[in-house]
Amino acid sequence: MTSAVLSGMKGLDTSAVEVDDDQAPPTILANSSEERSALAEMDALLPPEMLAASPEAQRLMCLRGRKYSATRAAVLLPKILAMLSSLELDPANPGPKLLSDLKSLKVVNLPSHDTSGRGLIWLRLRNHRPSLSTPEDFARCVAFVVLRLLSSDPEVQRRGVTVVNDLSGLSISNLQPSAAKLVFSLVFPSLPVRVGRVCVFNPPFIVGSIILPVMLRLVSSKLRKRVRVLSSDPIDLEPYVLEAQRPRDLGGLMPFDEEGWAAGL
């Protein structure tokens, strides 16, 4: 099965994933006059029909996610709309299959931040069952959770996200290379978000020694520089996510009501 996973990773393309290269937040503040000016500049670049169909909150999300580059934000907006259409995803109305996937808690947004003020996405692939979820199902789940996090916090829109990929309890049978390829080629490049860090926590031996090294050779150099492979000791997470900001399953002190999170979907 390991060889099948490695073979399935061929063709992985992460080149379009937006990575926070300088690791610094934008200088423009949310809801400031400078932000309003940048939004007006972006709006002037949009076709009238797209401007009319896109809520201001969605356009601001694009603008903040591209560090107030009006040109790049205007290019991003149609990509979001195309991705939502391709995945048949309505963030305001998740269907039964998406709700089932979300309630597995394989991907959640935490109500806390990393040491740079970024939002946190907690990924637990041990809860993923490829026999029950297609790559599109997984991609839809990731897109929904990231958009949910972004919609809840303008500062996360400005600063980006850190992904804590918690591999505790992972089995090779949980891995679905085609789902990872879809997330990296479609979802993240189409979202108004910058990836500041990916913390790979507690990988099983075969994953850490064989699969991850191969995968890291396939990802872009800019993303590879943001990946940290960590041991099973939660203290390794401390430079990136403080103990007070981590749930107890990650060796932290932060209460996290998983049932409440799922009930609020």
Side-chain angles (χ1 to χ4, degrees):
M1 184 168 284
T2 301
S3 60
V5 171
L6 294 174
S7 177
M9 294 307 300
K10 291 179 180 178
L12 176 69
D13 182 10
T14 69
S15 60
V17 176
E18 188 77 9
V19 176
D20 194 4
D21 291 323
D22 60 12
Q23 299 285 287
T27 55
I28 295 176
L29 299 178
N31 303 312
S32 65
S33 58
E34 291 89 350
E35 182 177 81
R36 301 304 305 177
S37 296
L39 180 63
E41 184 181 349
M42 173 190 172
D43 289 349
L45 298 173
L46 297 173
E49 61 276 10
M50 184 173 293
L51 179 60
S54 175
E56 182 177 287
Q58 187 178 56
R59 305 196 312 276
L60 277 172
M61 199 182 294
C62 291
L63 191 64
R64 292 164 178 163
R66 290 300 178 262
K67 287 194 172 181
Y68 295 98
S69 167
T71 302
R72 297 180 68 222
V75 170
L76 178 62
L77 181 59
K79 291 183 180 180
I80 296 178
L81 300 177
M83 183 266 292
L84 294 175
S85 175
S86 174
L87 293 178
E88 299 180 347
L89 172 60
D90 178 1
N93 186 30
K97 180 62 177 78
L98 176 54
L99 283 173
S100 175
D101 280 331
L102 291 166
K103 289 178 180 179
S104 74
L105 303 173
K106 67 182 81 174
V107 190
V108 302
N109 58 288
L110 292 173
S112 54
H113 301 84
D114 77 354
T115 52
S116 298
R118 300 185 192 96
L120 292 171
I121 299 293
W122 186 15
L123 182 62
R124 287 176 285 184
L125 289 178
R126 64 179 178 269
N127 295 336
H128 180 57
R129 302 289 182 270
S131 61
L132 301 177
S133 296
T134 66
E136 290 75 18
D137 290 331
F138 185 77
R140 195 177 295 115
C141 188
V142 172
F144 179 92
V145 171
V146 175
L147 284 170
R148 187 175 193 245
L149 173 59
L150 292 171
S151 299
S152 68
D153 192 340
E155 280 304 299
V156 173
Q157 296 173 27
R158 295 177 67 251
R159 294 173 182 267
V161 300
T162 281
V163 179
V164 179
N165 188 1
D166 178 6
L167 298 185
S168 305
L170 181 78
S171 165
I172 296 295
S173 64
N174 298 125
L175 299 178
Q176 191 176 29
S178 53
K181 289 161 73 172
L182 190 59
V183 167
F184 283 121
S185 65
L186 175 65
V187 176
F188 272 109
S190 304
L191 287 172
V193 68
R194 299 187 312 283
V195 178
R197 188 81 64 199
V198 178
C199 295
V200 183
F201 178 68
N202 192 22
F205 176 79
I206 196 167
V207 174
S209 61
I210 299 176
I211 295 176
L212 268 177
V214 172
M215 183 176 179
L216 288 175
R217 287 200 296 270
L218 296 174
V219 306
S220 66
S221 60
K222 63 181 181 179
L223 182 58
R224 191 183 312 124
K225 291 175 183 176
R226 299 300 167 212
V227 175
R228 299 292 182 268
V229 181
L230 309 175
S231 75
S232 60
D233 189 342
I235 196 65
D236 286 357
L237 282 164
E238 193 70 10
Y240 314 109
V241 187
L242 296 176
E243 184 180 46
Q245 301 291 310
R246 301 196 308 266
R248 293 188 176 96
D249 278 5
L250 293 174
L253 301 174
M254 184 189 75
F256 179 58
D257 182 0
E258 295 185 343
E259 292 184 2
W261 183 91
L265 296 169

